[in-house]
Amino acid sequence: MAIKSIFKDNEYIQSNNPDLFYQIEEKPRSVKDAIVYAFQTVVTMLGPMSITPLALAAACGMTPLQTAQVLGLCMIGSGLGTLCQTTWGVRLPVVQTMSLAFMAGYISIAGIVTAENGGVVDGKLIMCYIMGAVILGGMVEFLLGVTGLITKLKRVFTPVIMGPVMMLIMLSMATTTVGWASENWFVFLVVAVLTLTMSNIIPATKWGKDKKIIKSLAIIVPIVVGYVISWVMSANGMIDPSSGAYVDIQVIKDTPWFNKPGGFVNWGMPKFRLDFLLLVLAGYLMSIIESIGQYHANTFACRCPGKLSQHRVSMGIGMEGLGCILSALAGGLASTSSGENIGLVERTGVASRHIARVGGVLLICLGLIGKFGAVITSITDPIIAGIFVSILGVVGGGGLQTTFSKCPLSGRNVSIFGIALIFGMGMPAYIAANPVDTGIIWLTNSINGICSSNMAIGGIMAILLDQVMPGSDKERGIQEDDTPDAEYGEDTAYGVSIKE
């Protein structure tokens, strides 16, 4: 792949599926649509996105102001990554977000820097080293993508692999989602029932004549309703202030209006160390495995009729790397594709990458507004859980669809799928109770980091079994199509000719 052709801007997917409210290449019909649906996209993934920066801020001993800053800067980084992804990358409605896959590496870096600093926790110094590691790792991911090396592994990342990874996205969040819901079952049930009603029940009835519009609002409306209920209950003393369901308005009042962008401004110059790069590479490995699976899941949610082209996968990974570099330079953390957005597309039918691009711009703008970050962090756990129940169910079901719509339901494939799920769920729990200790800090942390990820372990196990167990190309889901679409090769995405 010639470097000069990497950023060509004349590839378009022509599609017209009646089940979608917005097609992939369809631009917003109005400014109102652009803002409403982009905001819905942003709100859906902000909850999960905030977990990593907030956890890191706590580990680094950051002040409340620094915590608000790192959250805002991560929003800016996610916005920049989303613009790269929707413009030059996989060119689907993919939104970039922060990933817990990197958390083990971040904590390891924080521990090493603190120990070398005489036991003094210095949040700014830690962020400088994390920025350096993320930048170097982003360069590696960028080169793997834009040179096409990642697509040479297509016989490794088969549909047999993608299904278990997608299922593990759902299963890995199950306990957390129920925990959030338990903070206030009433609010959770209101949001969950309203989401399912608007996305599935009403559109299937005689009252669902405008089902596309109703379905397209099936996330934002339940969030607003749940937030208002939580705020009223909190203001009237019906929810304890220590509960995850409590809406704390005072935090919003105390937060400054604007954040200062830029890692150089907030933390200092990036600092580079090879051992810290190795620590975050484990996170990049997990991120790549998850992202490739999510690209395929996104094509399913967008009703794409054919295979995901090698060029699109390659550019998707390349732009994730570039997004990580830009996020670190902005003062944020490494970003990856948002799995939550896949379920959002399926639930709402809004598959326009242009609306996702508006979401990226919105993320950047909102990341500069300190008080908006405070408002987002005040969206309560039961509300997020109510949305997740619907979205994660779609992602998990999409895993079954991804594997068994492209691969035969053979004993070989069923065994790989099941064993990958067993190890993907069981190994992280075992490692949490029995961490590995090699005596070498970076190696120990890297092994424990990889083995603590459900998606990484499940993906690695599925890859090993898929390579070892005998199976034809057809059984593995990698046999080339004999349809006319196949003759377009890498210049065809999703079985639809790309116009030059």
Side-chain angles (χ1 to χ4, degrees):
M1 183 189 304
I3 296 296
K4 65 180 180 181
S5 69
I6 287 173
F7 295 105
K8 57 186 176 181
D9 197 36
N10 56 351
E11 288 187 356
Y12 298 98
I13 303 172
Q14 304 297 328
S15 63
N16 184 26
N17 192 297
D19 291 334
L20 296 176
F21 186 61
Y22 266 99
Q23 308 300 320
I24 296 174
E25 289 296 337
E26 188 175 358
K27 295 182 179 180
R29 299 166 196 141
S30 66
V31 174
K32 181 190 74 173
D33 274 15
I35 294 175
V36 170
Y37 296 127
F39 184 75
Q40 179 171 255
T41 299
V42 168
V43 171
T44 301
M45 44 75 67
L46 273 181
M49 187 203 76
S50 65
I51 295 174
T52 300
L54 291 177
L56 178 63
C60 294
M62 292 185 177
T63 65
L65 176 59
Q66 289 176 328
T67 301
Q69 287 176 328
V70 74
L71 178 58
L73 297 175
C74 283
M75 290 171 63
I76 295 173
S78 293
L80 293 171
T82 299
L83 290 177
C84 292
Q85 192 66 268
T86 54
T87 304
W88 304 299
V90 75
R91 295 173 74 110
L92 286 169
V94 173
V95 178
Q96 299 297 109
T97 184
M98 301 298 107
S99 173
L100 282 172
F102 296 90
M103 195 64 205
Y106 297 153
I107 296 299
S108 298
I109 292 174
I112 294 172
V113 172
T114 299
E116 294 178 352
N117 198 36
V120 178
V121 179
D122 187 338
K124 289 188 174 183
L125 181 61
I126 292 171
M127 282 300 301
C128 288
Y129 279 108
I130 288 177
M131 286 165 54
V134 170
I135 290 171
L136 292 177
M139 290 179 178
V140 173
E141 187 176 26
F142 175 77
L143 291 175
L144 283 175
V146 299
T147 59
L149 289 176
I150 196 68
T151 60
K152 303 302 180 183
L153 301 176
K154 68 175 184 177
R155 298 188 67 86
V156 176
F157 297 107
T158 67
V160 180
I161 311 303
M162 303 311 170
V165 171
M166 291 165 60
M167 283 288 289
L168 287 166
I169 293 172
M170 176 188 71
L171 296 174
S172 66
M173 288 298 298
T175 302
T176 301
T177 301
V178 173
W180 288 342
S182 66
E183 294 287 348
N184 192 295
W185 288 106
F186 173 72
V187 174
F188 161 75
L189 288 173
V190 169
V191 175
V193 170
L194 187 55
T195 301
L196 290 172
T197 300
M198 294 184 66
S199 62
N200 291 94
I201 299 175
I202 293 179
T205 66
K206 62 181 180 181
W207 299 286
K209 295 180 180 179
D210 298 323
K211 62 180 182 180
K212 290 184 179 179
I213 297 177
I214 294 172
K215 189 177 181 180
S216 69
L217 297 172
I219 300 297
I220 189 68
V221 170
I223 287 176
V224 172
V225 171
Y227 191 90
V228 171
I229 293 174
S230 297
W231 176 70
V232 171
M233 293 177 69
S234 299
N236 288 277
M238 300 172 67
I239 299 178
D240 189 276
S242 63
S243 170
Y246 184 79
V247 177
D248 189 358
I249 302 298
Q250 189 59 43
V251 173
I252 301 174
K253 294 179 179 178
D254 294 341
T255 303
W257 272 102
F258 298 104
N259 289 322
K260 295 181 295 183
F264 307 98
V265 176
N266 291 280
W267 317 124
M269 292 292 292
K271 298 181 182 294
F272 303 96
R273 282 177 52 167
L274 180 59
D275 56 338
F276 288 175
L277 167 62
L278 296 176
L279 287 176
V280 297
L281 279 181
Y284 278 103
L285 170 63
M286 293 180 249
S287 173
I288 290 173
I289 292 175
E290 293 172 15
S291 292
I292 293 177
Q294 287 166 2
Y295 296 161
H296 287 275
N298 213 310
T299 64
F300 169 72
C302 293
R303 310 296 196 273
C304 297
K307 292 182 179 180
L308 187 64
S309 74
Q310 295 182 26
H311 177 69
R312 289 295 174 89
V313 172
S314 176
M315 288 308 302
I317 297 302
M319 290 305 101
E320 283 206 9
L322 179 59
C324 289
I325 295 171
L326 295 176
S327 180
L329 291 174
L333 306 172
S335 63
T336 189
S337 301
S338 169
E340 292 78 22
N341 196 55
I342 300 170
L344 177 65
V345 171
E346 175 66 30
R347 283 300 180 205
T348 64
V350 178
S352 169
R353 70 181 178 95
H354 298 286
I355 288 179
R357 188 185 296 175
V358 174
V361 175
L362 192 59
L363 274 170
I364 295 172
C365 295
L366 297 178
L368 295 172
I369 303 174
K371 287 192 180 295
F372 178 80
V375 171
I376 294 301
T377 56
S378 70
I379 293 177
T380 63
D381 294 345
I383 296 174
I384 298 174
I387 299 298
F388 267 30
V389 165
S390 177
I391 288 179
L392 291 174
V394 172
V395 173
L400 291 172
Q401 175 75 16
T402 297
T403 294
F404 296 114
S405 67
K406 300 181 182 298
C407 307
L409 192 63
S410 64
R412 172 192 184 274
N413 291 340
V414 171
S415 295
I416 292 175
F417 199 100
I419 294 172
L421 290 182
I422 290 172
F423 275 86
M425 292 303 297
M427 183 61 74
Y430 174 80
I431 289 296
N434 305 277
V436 174
D437 186 1
T438 65
I440 304 174
I441 294 178
W442 68 266
L443 182 60
T444 296
N445 290 330
S446 297
I447 293 174
N448 287 326
I450 293 175
C451 291
S452 297
S453 169
N454 305 89
M455 286 74 76
I457 288 296
I460 291 171
M461 182 57 64
I463 289 171
L464 292 175
L465 292 174
D466 189 40
Q467 296 297 315
V468 171
M469 297 177 68
S472 65
D473 284 357
K474 180 178 180 180
E475 195 171 19
R476 300 179 66 203
I478 56 177
Q479 186 180 48
E480 293 296 330
D481 281 335
D482 10 0
T483 61
D485 287 328
E487 68 186 32
Y488 291 102
E490 291 193 359
D491 291 326
T492 300
Y494 325 120
V496 183
S497 174
I498 299 174
K499 308 282 186 178
E500 289 295 330

